[in-house]
Amino acid sequence: MTKANEPIRDADQTGWLDQGPRNVQRDLENPDILVPPTTDHGTIANLRFSFSDAHMRLEEGGWAREVTNRELPASHDMAGVNMCLKPGAYRELHWHKEAEWAIMLKGNARVTALNENGDSFIDDIVAGDLWDFEAGIPHSIQALDQGCEFLLVFSEPDFSENNTFLLTDWLAHMPKDVVAANFKLDEAALANLPTHEKYLFDGEVPGPIDQVKRPGTPMTEPLTLHMQDVPAKHFEAGKVWIIDQSVFPAAKTISAAIVEVQPGGMRELHWHPKSEEWDYFMQGRAKVGVFNSNTLARTFDYQAGDVGVIPKEAGHYIQNIGDEPLIFIELFKNPVYSDISLNKWLATTPSQIVADHLNLTKATVEQLPSEEAAVVWYQDPKRSEKAPKSTGHVDDASTYFS
């Protein structure tokens, strides 16, 4: 055991050896919990949970696991489900009380839906694409030839994937004569109806989409979004793709941002004034420092597969501490994405006011960044000379999902 793996902080000569028992692997994964920065103060509730620690529900057609406020009590707005389907397998026809926002992480799938006006929807999606089904909209998901894995995010923190309204579960709990009358069939024709829910079950990979469409009026507003069509915002140390009603009108409850932070970069100091932030980390390693007023501050470490929560209005940064691009998704229970940049705030406040607050000279304050830059350099500012400028060029975020 080396000093680096002990709760000893050199900065102020505090702490001592942890001689066990201990979970060394956990300590290695969470160095900023084992040895908090000197700026941490007080105790903010746990803001991290890993899908790797969630119960894995294994089914005939794949698997599912969820992170709700049962696993992460600090989450007050949303819950998430990570799901995988074999090629041809179904997430059966269902609906739920909550809005569902989703992104395809791997593979491909076909989704279907129906709205309250009787308009139908069907589309094939690939890794990086999104869908949104608002509360009460019946829908299905079927994996195509590659199989698929996806992230579902729901608009209530106590949502459970086990509490959806399933077609098979519903009919299994209705009298057979009532079902027969509804379908205008003899009861004998319904002898093989499922007696319990199917949930995730095997099926055959379907044919081309134009061969399976049924009669009906198609929806005028698509319920999917192909990320190759969404422009990136370029910053000195990374990119951001904003996904809210301005580019995805069907998403009436949840907005999001996909964020890329290059090694040595960080998501600048900022906060979100309208809703809590629910994060899903896709790639890389991150350090997240959170300030939640009343002199409370705490630092957490995240890696791929982790979920994070940032309290509403809490100031924070997200730093890439790995050697590969950090990719994560910020999600908000609000149809419009919004944030407030510390740099922009100070730049638009009279410089003498800022100087008096921070004990700086007015000249120093006037050298501070004058514009919001969502992703900035933390380490190696020389890279900023090579960083792409914001040109409106369309970068395909889906490349991170293939």
Side-chain angles (χ1 to χ4, degrees), residues 188-201:
L190 303 176
N192 292 326
L193 278 180
T195 58
H196 58 277
E197 67 178 44
K198 285 191 167 183
Y199 188 61
L200 307 179
F201 65 100

Side-chain angles (χ1 to χ4, degrees), residues 69-354:
N69 62 0
R70 176 188 57 229
E71 289 79 19
L72 190 55
S75 180
H76 303 107
D77 283 355
M78 291 184 286
V81 173
N82 182 205
M83 186 174 288
C84 180
L85 298 174
K86 300 176 185 176
Y90 292 95
R91 170 64 173 98
E92 75 161 281
L93 288 159
H94 68 286
W95 74 98
H96 29 72
K97 301 174 184 178
E98 301 82 5
E100 172 183 308
W101 184 101
I103 186 163
M104 187 65 68
L105 302 175
K106 303 289 181 182
N108 53 2
R110 178 167 297 164
V111 296
T112 70
L114 181 78
N115 67 19
E116 62 272 30
N117 299 319
D119 303 326
S120 62
F121 181 79
I122 185 170
D123 194 19
D124 288 349
I125 54 177
V126 299
D129 291 344
L130 317 177
W131 70 79
D132 185 276
F133 302 131
E134 291 297 304
I137 297 295
H139 55 280
S140 70
I141 306 159
Q142 184 180 17
L144 298 178
D145 60 314
Q146 299 174 26
C148 61
E149 181 178 343
F150 45 91
L151 174 73
L152 306 168
V153 181
F154 296 90
S155 60
E156 294 298 333
D158 59 352
F159 170 86
S160 174
E161 185 64 17
N162 304 318
N163 292 335
T164 53
F165 296 93
L166 303 177
L167 172 63
T168 55
D169 192 33
W170 184 18
L171 296 186
H173 290 87
M174 292 293 103
K176 191 67 67 68
D177 60 317
V178 171
V179 178
N182 185 81
F183 290 156
K184 300 187 181 301
L185 293 172
D186 294 329
E187 285 189 49
L190 303 176
N192 292 326
L193 278 180
T195 58
H196 58 277
E197 67 178 44
K198 285 191 167 183
Y199 188 61
L200 307 179
F201 65 100
D202 289 337
E204 297 294 328
V205 174
I209 195 168
D210 58 356
Q211 296 180 12
V212 299
K213 290 184 178 180
R214 297 186 67 179
T217 303
M219 290 186 194
T220 57
E221 182 178 84
L223 301 184
T224 54
L225 178 69
H226 299 279
M227 278 301 298
Q228 64 183 5
D229 300 327
V230 179
K233 291 187 176 183
H234 291 246
F235 299 96
E236 65 181 32
K239 307 185 191 78
V240 178
W241 291 261
I242 303 295
I243 306 151
D244 65 5
Q245 284 208 300
S246 65
V247 297
F248 195 13
K252 297 175 172 57
T253 303
I254 295 173
S255 60
I258 299 174
V259 182
E260 169 213 277
V261 183
Q262 288 297 319
M266 72 176 193
R267 181 77 170 87
E268 69 166 347
L269 287 164
H270 68 287
W271 70 94
H272 301 278
K274 298 191 179 299
S275 50
E276 188 174 87
E277 177 177 336
W278 195 96
D279 293 321
Y280 177 71
F281 291 85
M282 290 184 49
Q283 175 183 295
R285 297 171 53 236
K287 174 191 289 191
V288 180
V290 180
F291 169 67
N292 200 23
S293 75
N294 197 30
T295 72
L296 296 177
R298 192 175 179 191
T299 306
F300 295 86
D301 299 286
Y302 297 85
Q303 55 188 304
D306 287 351
V307 171
V309 173
I310 310 284
K312 182 172 176 280
E313 288 134 356
H316 59 285
Y317 67 90
I318 301 175
Q319 179 188 348
N320 184 346
I321 57 172
D323 56 5
E324 63 179 333
L326 171 67
I327 311 296
F328 63 96
I329 308 172
E330 307 174 353
L331 295 119
F332 306 89
K333 190 177 177 179
N334 195 297
V336 178
Y337 176 89
S338 63
D339 67 11
I340 293 180
S341 160
L342 174 61
N343 283 341
K344 186 67 173 179
W345 179 32
L346 298 186
T348 56
T349 300
S351 55
Q352 189 61 57
I353 294 177
V354 178

Side-chain angles (χ1 to χ4, degrees), residues 55-59 62-65 161-162 197 199-200:
H55 169 68
M56 184 73 82
R57 178 175 175 177
L58 303 180
E59 296 285 333
W63 53 259
R65 52 189 176 180
E161 185 64 17
N162 304 318
E197 67 178 44
Y199 188 61
L200 307 179

